[in-house]
Amino acid sequence: MEKELEQFRQEVERLRAGRKAGSGPFLEPLRAFAVRYLAHALEKGDTLKAVVERLGVSEPTLQAWRRGQTPGGKKTQSSEQGAAPLKPVVVHPPKQHAPSPVATTFAVVSPQGWRVEGLGLEEAAQLLRRLAC
């Protein structure tokens, strides 16, 4: 577990580099490791303060992770009550349907109110050309 602790500390320092204090949450695997490490250390008789120093995170942050929250007080997805685990799904493209005759016909309506319906695309284009529209 000491090797994992060292990897954790390195990742914490890498994440903190170049960002403001308290900005951006730690990834779930890091939080989960810290909580497991805390539980293991407390079982062995360590104090919370000693664990916080070894992990390199603040006590409020570690306590929030322990409660299943991010430091801002938001519940993490894995800690929400009744949250179902994610399941992979397959998305298929929509089936291509044969074009309906209604969808391929056009109607031309003039400003004077006359209407020509049921024209195909080419017929509607010819009509508009002849009307000089």
Side-chain angles (χ1 to χ4, degrees):
M1 193 166 254
E2 293 306 312
K3 182 180 176 185
E4 290 173 305
L5 175 61
E6 184 57 34
Q7 289 173 339
F8 176 86
R9 290 181 58 86
Q10 288 174 359
E11 188 64 16
V12 166
E13 288 187 29
R14 185 187 71 77
L15 289 171
R16 284 188 177 150
R19 73 172 201 176
K20 296 178 184 174
S23 67
F26 288 93
L27 300 174
E28 178 65 31
L30 289 175
R31 294 190 306 262
F33 169 78
V35 170
R36 280 194 318 272
Y37 186 85
L38 173 63
H40 178 72
L42 292 176
E43 283 177 8
K44 293 174 93 178
D46 281 340
T47 64
L48 178 62
K49 185 175 180 174
V51 173
V52 163
E53 289 175 9
R54 281 194 299 251
L55 289 172
V57 297
S58 71
E59 186 174 330
T61 295
L62 188 56
Q63 290 287 30
W65 291 352
R66 192 177 187 188
R67 289 187 306 272
Q69 297 176 332
T70 58
K74 290 176 70 178
K75 288 275 189 187
T76 60
Q77 183 176 355
S78 61
S79 66
E80 291 177 0
Q81 292 293 338
L86 298 178
K87 295 180 183 177
V89 296
V90 178
V91 178
H92 298 284
K95 292 181 180 179
Q96 295 295 327
H97 297 286
S100 70
V102 175
T104 58
T105 60
F106 297 90
V108 177
V109 181
S110 77
Q112 292 80 23
W114 54 263
R115 180 180 185 99
V116 179
E117 296 181 349
L119 298 174
L121 179 60
E122 189 59 39
E123 294 168 319
Q126 286 177 3
L127 177 63
L128 292 172
R129 270 190 234 113
R130 287 188 182 170
L131 294 172
C133 294

